[in-house]
């Protein structure tokens, strides 16, 4: 699948390398290639916080009905995390390469003008995005896409997407994950995508597991689902087109359809990019392939 790519910016080399629809409709199915492991705990307080934030438009949902779903998710997360930890480093590097090549060489990426993308964290075993970030930030100023990256605000699932123009705009948070500083080098507030004058074209998402119907298993915080819900409301208000939601996935993270339990809060993705290439799911994604 090609050699491992190293990028010229030292910060990217150092920080990127070796390092929640409708009502309840699915139940978890243990996938054969994921090895069972002990369930990773998820505090009731965290579940409660997420539901307080996301339940405003889901009146009538009994949290006791959702608890079995949350338990299934916890169990599945544990299995996927173990599989990711056991992933061969060479295979990981090859898959990182193939996934990023598919993204940066695609027509839908090249045509995008305003992009949200996550900054990959080796500690979280996420698909690497360093080449994608570099591709955007190294483009000539007159051709450069606007790039917004996540900054976690609190433990109540609140997250901002702030614009950066350089990797030097990124700082480590308390968990050693790179995030944008609130202000730039001149002391000016960074542009928040929720206040931007133009809509997003593309949103590149992380996750723990996915299926080919678009279900996404996150890491239990609810940050991306809450942000996407709020952004979808903004686009409706502004009468903007919805951005294409594309998740990056290692081969072992794509599991059997129906295996990911879902709640009314979960936002499905439009497409996946795996080592095998672009996997369109929604009508919007299929149109991008025409």
């Amino acid at each position: 699948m090609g050699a491992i790519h190293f990028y010229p910016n030292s910060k990217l080399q150092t920080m990127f390398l070796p390092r929640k629809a409708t009502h309840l409709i699915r139940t978890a199915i243990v996938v054969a290639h994921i090895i069972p492991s002990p369930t990773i705990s998820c505090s009731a307080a965290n579940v409660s916080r997420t539901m307080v934030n996301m339940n405003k438009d889901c009146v009538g949902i009994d949290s006791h009905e959702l608890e079995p779903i949350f338990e299934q998710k916890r169990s599945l997360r544990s299995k996927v995390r173990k599989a990711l930890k056991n992933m061969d480093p060479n295979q990981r590097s090859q898959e990182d390469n193939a996934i990023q090549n598919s993204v940066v060489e695609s027509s839908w990426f090249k045509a995008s003008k305003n992009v949200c993308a996550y900054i990959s964290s080796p500690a979280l075993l996420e698909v690497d995005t360093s080449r994608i970030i570099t591709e955007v930030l190294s483009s000539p100023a007159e051709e450069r896409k606007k790039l917004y990256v996540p900054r976690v605000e609190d433990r109540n699932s609140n997250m901002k997407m702030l614009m950066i123009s350089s990797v030097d705009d990124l700082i480590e948070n308390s968990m050693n994950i790179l995030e944008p500083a609130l202000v730039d080098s001149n002391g000016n507030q960074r542009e928040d995508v929720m206040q931007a004058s133009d809509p997003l074209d593309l949103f590149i998402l992380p996750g723990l597991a996915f299926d080919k119907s678009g279900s996404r298993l996150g890491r239990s915080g609810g940050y991306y689902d809450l942000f996407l819900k709020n952004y979808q409301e903004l686009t409706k208000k502004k009468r903007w087109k919805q951005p294409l939601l594309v998740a990056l996935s290692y081969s072992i993270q794509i599991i059997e359809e129906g295996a990911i339990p879902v709640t009314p809060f979960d936002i499905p993705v439009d497409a996946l990019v795996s080592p095998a290439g672009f996997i369109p799911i929604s009508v919007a994604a299929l149109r991008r392939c025409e």
Side-chain angles (χ1 to χ4, degrees):
M1 286 188 178
I4 301 171
H5 290 293
F6 290 85
Y7 303 100
N9 187 287
S10 59
K11 180 175 251 183
L12 283 178
Q13 288 184 9
T14 303
M15 304 311 299
F16 286 92
L17 297 173
R19 17 189 222 214
K20 229 188 265 82
T22 55
H23 287 287
L24 315 178
I25 58 173
R26 294 181 183 169
T27 56
I29 301 170
V30 177
V31 183
H33 68 259
I34 297 179
I35 304 171
S37 66
T39 299
I40 292 178
S41 64
C42 177
S43 72
N46 185 55
V47 171
S48 177
R49 281 195 298 268
T50 300
M51 290 189 65
V52 166
N53 283 323
M54 303 188 71
N55 203 23
K56 295 175 182 176
D57 297 323
C58 296
V59 179
I61 296 175
D62 187 341
S63 61
H64 295 294
E65 293 178 24
L66 294 178
E67 184 53 38
I69 303 297
F70 289 132
E71 180 59 37
Q72 290 164 359
K73 287 191 175 194
R74 288 193 285 271
S75 178
L76 185 55
R77 286 189 186 103
S78 179
K79 294 172 178 66
V80 176
R81 285 189 176 108
K82 183 169 183 178
L84 284 170
K85 287 179 181 178
N86 291 334
M87 191 174 178
D88 178 80
N90 290 328
Q91 179 185 356
R92 184 187 302 278
S93 295
Q94 291 176 346
E95 295 200 5
D96 280 331
N97 248 357
I99 292 166
Q100 292 188 99
N101 283 339
S102 290
V103 174
V104 300
E105 294 172 4
S106 69
S107 58
W108 48 267
F109 177 77
K110 292 177 180 178
S112 62
K113 302 295 182 184
N114 302 292
V115 180
C116 273
Y118 70 96
I119 304 294
S120 55
S121 167
L124 297 178
L125 303 175
E126 294 172 322
V127 173
D128 186 19
T129 57
S130 59
R131 183 184 171 194
I132 297 168
I133 301 300
T134 299
E135 187 79 14
V136 174
L137 298 179
S138 63
S139 299
E142 64 274 12
E143 301 173 9
R144 187 176 303 168
K145 309 174 192 297
K146 277 190 174 183
L147 177 63
Y148 303 86
V149 298
R151 177 185 172 91
V152 171
E153 293 294 287
D154 52 39
R155 294 185 179 182
N156 296 319
S157 303
N158 292 305
M159 177 176 73
K160 288 183 176 181
M161 286 284 175
L162 304 179
M163 190 175 75
I164 63 170
S165 56
S166 165
V167 291
D168 293 328
D169 296 338
L170 301 171
I171 56 176
E172 286 186 354
N173 67 12
S174 59
M175 296 178 65
N176 299 319
I177 296 172
L178 288 173
E179 294 184 327
L182 286 172
V183 297
D184 61 23
S185 57
N186 296 317
N188 299 315
Q189 288 284 331
R190 296 194 183 282
E191 183 173 295
D192 186 324
V193 75
M194 296 298 290
Q195 276 80 55
S197 57
D198 297 309
L200 284 172
D201 304 301
L202 175 64
F203 204 125
I204 297 176
L205 294 151
L208 268 178
F210 313 90
D211 70 21
K212 292 184 180 181
S213 67
S215 296
R216 169 184 169 272
L217 181 71
R219 296 179 180 275
S220 84
Y223 289 94
Y224 279 94
D225 289 315
L226 180 58
F227 182 89
L228 290 171
K229 172 181 172 291
N230 291 336
Y231 192 78
Q232 287 177 350
E233 290 175 353
L234 177 66
T235 58
K236 290 175 184 176
K237 180 180 178 181
K238 297 264 191 181
R239 297 185 178 180
W240 286 343
K241 185 178 179 179
Q242 296 286 349
L244 190 71
L245 306 183
V246 178
L248 308 187
S249 176
Y250 291 122
S251 55
I252 62 172
Q253 292 178 284
I254 300 178
I255 63 178
E256 169 180 336
E257 190 167 342
I260 298 175
V262 298
T263 75
F265 315 128
D266 297 313
I267 306 294
V269 299
D270 293 304
L272 300 174
V273 180
S274 77
F278 184 66
I279 305 172
I281 298 166
S282 71
V283 171
L286 287 166
R287 286 174 179 165
R288 298 288 184 102
C289 298
E290 293 176 349

